[in-house]
Amino acid sequence: MLLVMERDATAAQVEAAVRRIGEMGLEARVLAGPVRTTIAVLGSSGSVDAARFADLAGIREAVPVSEPYRQASREVHPENTVIALPGGASVGGDEVVVMAGPCAVESEALILETARLVRDAGATVLRGGAFKPRTSPYSFQGLGEPALHWLARARAETGLAVATEVLEVESVELVARYADILQVGARNMQNFPLLRAVGRTGKPVLLKRGYAATVTELLLAAEYVLAEGNPHVILCERGVRGFDGASRFLLDLNAISQVHRLSHLPIIADPSHGTGQRSAVPAMARAAVAAGADGLLVEVHPAPERALSDGLQTITPAKFSEMMRQCRAIAKVIGRRIAEGQ
Ligand code: PEP
Ligand code: MN
């Protein structure tokens, strides 16, 4: 951190700041400039709390020089993190990994059918919720454990890896027995005990950005998983609240480049929740691949109009197949490729 003093700061005020830094167990280096004095605060292993200087006179600004997250930071870890998935695909390298399936697992037959359809169209990961975080307690909440069995069955039949959401600390162990990727939803992005618990499993974690969370908050949430010794974090941009009711959420494609600049962790895009609107999904998927997304998370259902959740933003297998063809062409232009199954 740098403490920038006021132009008319007195020597006593500079000394008081230096003393406070010493009291914090840190080292102060005073840089006397022609116009003002700046004090570099050195030797901290985490971020320095600016509030510790708030009561001192003569300080104009406390400027952080490093990011508040450490393990998620590209400064600390310049190389991209590449996460290998069962089935051979990997997230964070040249491949763009497509995860597709219904919002919720609705029956064994339906998840098997959808798994085959999305695999044939080129997806490498099957998504589907067994435990659903619904805005209303009266909405369909998911079928729970039986749905996990059906997902495992779909994996065995299709070779797709399985991503499914874990809602609470108590079910981490159960979900981790079935899932290849543990999804932490937008509403749980700052559920810190849950982040720690999925961190302890060591399994890949798909961490969705809260819809009112900043990129810094997303990376700090990832830091909780990393701090448990689990380096396998896949971030997901899934849309933030906008001011315009024309679409349910605003897919923040800029977050993809911000995350790539600030962090080595892969980030995928979810054009389904990111728009809330079926007609917008293929265009936003294409745009996300063009923007450098390391993958896509897309809701697909054989009959979206009958889906028990998120039908309005869910596309048909035929639309998904067409979207995949377009995304393959876009990936190629930017020197990437859509991950293929084995
Ligand atoms: C989902 O992926 O079905 C989901 C509930 O997403 P989010 O947490 O982004 O709302
Ligand atoms: Mn959904």
Side-chain angles (χ1 to χ4, degrees):
M1 171 172 286
L2 290 175
L3 291 183
V4 181
M5 305 302 292
E6 298 284 7
R7 293 168 78 125
D8 59 359
T10 63
Q13 288 169 340
V14 172
E15 265 169 44
V18 168
R19 214 174 313 118
R20 179 66 54 86
I21 294 165
E23 285 162 13
M24 292 163 69
L26 301 173
E27 188 192 332
R29 195 159 303 161
V30 179
L31 312 161
V35 178
R36 66 174 83 246
T37 296
T38 301
I39 309 172
V41 184
L42 306 172
S44 110
S45 57
S47 58
V48 179
D49 184 1
R52 297 289 301 271
F53 304 102
D55 63 319
L56 298 183
I59 297 176
R60 181 187 170 88
E61 213 184 342
V63 185
V65 290
S66 54
E67 304 298 347
Y69 39 83
R70 300 184 79 78
Q71 298 193 48
S73 161
R74 196 178 275 286
E75 267 184 352
V76 174
H77 185 303
E79 296 299 317
N80 283 348
T81 284
V82 180
I83 300 169
L85 300 176
S90 54
V91 191
D94 290 342
E95 293 180 334
V96 177
V97 172
V98 180
M99 312 184 183
C103 178
V105 178
E106 299 176 2
S107 73
E108 181 172 22
L110 211 59
I111 196 68
L112 287 174
E113 180 190 354
T114 314
R116 285 187 207 108
L117 289 164
V118 298
R119 183 213 40 207
D120 293 350
T124 40
V125 178
L126 175 66
R127 65 143 292 148
F131 299 97
K132 294 303 305 174
R134 303 307 301 281
T135 302
S136 162
Y138 307 117
S139 301
F140 175 62
Q141 303 285 312
L143 297 175
E145 194 168 347
L148 295 175
H149 295 247
W150 304 334
L151 283 167
R153 175 97 198 274
R155 168 178 46 214
E157 291 214 359
T158 59
L160 293 170
V162 163
T164 195
E165 178 157 356
V166 56
L167 272 188
E168 58 207 353
V169 173
E170 295 71 27
S171 49
V172 168
E173 208 190 302
L174 170 71
V175 178
R177 253 185 268 142
Y178 295 91
D180 301 302
I181 301 174
L182 294 168
Q183 178 173 324
V184 173
R187 291 157 187 81
N188 264 328
M189 188 201 85
Q190 288 185 313
N191 181 336
F192 303 119
L194 181 62
L195 295 172
R196 287 204 174 96
V198 295
R200 286 192 293 271
T201 67
K203 286 210 157 187
V205 174
L206 175 57
L207 177 60
K208 301 189 82 174
R209 179 184 182 185
Y211 40 72
T214 63
V215 167
T216 300
E217 287 163 343
L218 173 63
L219 292 172
L220 280 168
E223 192 79 10
Y224 272 85
V225 180
L226 300 174
E228 293 297 324
N230 183 353
H232 308 122
V233 181
I234 304 163
L235 303 170
C236 180
E237 164 55 40
R238 52 80 69 214
V240 292
R241 285 253 191 260
F243 58 87
D244 186 347
S247 66
R248 188 167 176 217
F249 291 105
L250 190 64
L251 187 66
D252 179 10
L253 292 178
N254 185 35
I256 295 166
S257 28
Q258 298 311 321
V259 165
H260 282 156
R261 177 173 67 83
L262 296 166
S263 178
H264 51 90
L265 295 173
I267 177 162
I268 70 167
D270 173 352
S272 306
H273 295 86
T275 61
Q277 211 170 57
R278 184 180 308 151
S279 60
V281 170
M284 288 299 101
R286 298 193 299 264
V289 173
D294 298 298
L296 296 172
L297 184 70
V298 185
E299 289 186 336
V300 179
H301 190 292
E305 66 288 352
R306 288 206 291 275
L308 297 180
S309 62
D310 285 348
L312 289 176
Q313 67 197 30
T314 299
I315 59 174
T316 61
K319 265 282 168 221
F320 177 65
S321 198
E322 184 189 344
M323 185 206 94
M324 288 295 283
R325 280 195 294 279
Q326 296 166 338
C327 288
R328 264 184 214 108
I330 290 171
K332 195 165 168 210
V333 172
I334 58 167
R336 300 185 83 172
R337 60 185 184 280
I338 303 289
E340 304 283 345
Q342 277 177 338

